[in-house]
Amino acid sequence: MATQYGFALLFPEQQRQNNLDLCFDWFSPGDNRRDTGKALSIRQMVAAATARHGLDPARVFCTGLSAGGAMTSSMLATYPEVFAGGAIITGLPCGCADTFARAFDRMRLLGMPRGLELTAFVRGASGHDGAWPTVSIWHGTAEATVGHGNAQAVIGQWPPLHGAAAAPDHVQIVRGQAERIAKGAEPGFAIDALKRPSEAAFPAFAALCVEIVRHELWRRPQRDSARPAKPRHAR
């Protein structure tokens, strides 16, 4: 797929010595803040891959599932100048938990911060004052591990950054599923949320990735890119 569509793939991986389930510690202040821990490590991997393969740095995207989706939230917030956009798949909002116990509470929607409090976590993560990444949100309505209400929390976190309303501008049907789109002040779509009955299994995740490649992020207008019509991408 990468060869067919002309992009490079980077797969950061957790080590079992750091997490027995091989999940990113997306809630840990030592790993989810700018220039520290895993967030810094992933940023350095992106920089190395971009330089090594001659990729367009204005067209780098981030995605992940579950703990990876929550880590995607953190990466978009801590390094918004690095990523043109990202897909948060069955994830959680950036900054909503800072301990292992609170992480499990937030997964069950207990004590979840609301509205502008969530937005403040993103604003405070980097000191960024430029354009924010496009965000695509995917969450299964039947998801049992990360409660579906987390999708709404993520949706509520990003619109103020884009100058978009919390409610979608319109809803359209994509392959039989409802897609909610909110437009921001910048060109292109700012917030894109798609609900599916279930995204728990790996095949569903793979199918989502295919749809992202074919349908979602980099076919939309990109920031500060003057490259030819068929640039190379990193994800």
Side-chain angles (χ1 to χ4, degrees):
M1 189 168 66
T3 300
Q4 180 180 354
Y5 290 99
F7 60 92
L9 288 170
L10 174 65
F11 292 100
E13 186 177 36
Q14 178 64 286
Q15 295 182 11
R16 197 170 297 278
Q17 66 190 53
N18 296 327
N19 186 294
L20 292 178
D21 294 322
L22 297 178
C23 296
F24 286 111
D25 293 329
W26 56 270
F27 52 85
S28 170
D31 284 316
N32 64 10
R33 294 181 179 176
R34 187 179 177 95
D35 297 335
T36 62
K38 290 294 187 301
L40 175 59
S41 178
I42 294 171
R43 168 66 184 100
Q44 292 171 334
M45 292 179 197
V46 170
T50 300
R52 181 177 301 170
H53 298 287
L55 305 173
D56 184 348
R59 308 192 79 174
V60 178
F61 300 87
C62 182
T63 188
L65 169 71
S66 193
M71 197 67 195
T72 296
S73 290
S74 294
M75 294 306 299
L76 296 176
T78 53
Y79 293 101
E81 78 282 7
V82 172
F83 300 104
I88 301 168
I89 305 173
T90 318
L92 297 95
C94 166
C96 68
D98 56 6
T99 67
F100 187 81
R102 287 174 181 166
F104 272 89
D105 281 346
R106 303 304 182 262
M107 289 164 64
R108 298 191 299 268
L109 303 172
L110 300 175
M112 178 66 74
R114 301 292 182 182
L116 294 179
E117 185 178 0
L118 287 172
T119 302
F121 291 146
V122 179
R123 291 190 188 279
S126 68
H128 183 64
D129 61 359
W132 292 93
T134 295
V135 180
S136 185
I137 302 158
W138 305 65
H139 211 112
T141 55
E143 168 61 28
T145 303
V146 180
H148 178 259
N150 280 284
Q152 191 58 47
V154 177
I155 291 169
Q157 186 168 53
W158 287 89
L161 300 167
H162 289 277
D169 291 285
H170 67 279
V171 178
Q172 63 187 27
I173 303 301
V174 177
R175 295 178 177 87
Q177 307 297 332
E179 182 180 27
R180 302 165 59 192
I181 297 173
K183 294 183 178 179
E186 305 165 18
F189 298 136
I191 312 294
D192 187 350
L194 184 63
K195 297 181 180 180
R196 289 182 168 269
S198 177
E199 293 164 3
F202 178 80
F205 176 49
L208 287 170
C209 289
V210 171
E211 291 195 36
I212 292 168
V213 170
R214 298 181 60 186
H215 168 65
E216 286 294 329
L217 295 172
W218 56 71
R219 291 191 177 184
R220 298 175 180 176
Q222 302 301 321
R223 303 168 297 173
D224 305 324
S225 178
R227 295 297 181 96
K230 292 185 179 181
R232 303 177 70 187
H233 315 287
R235 294 188 61 229

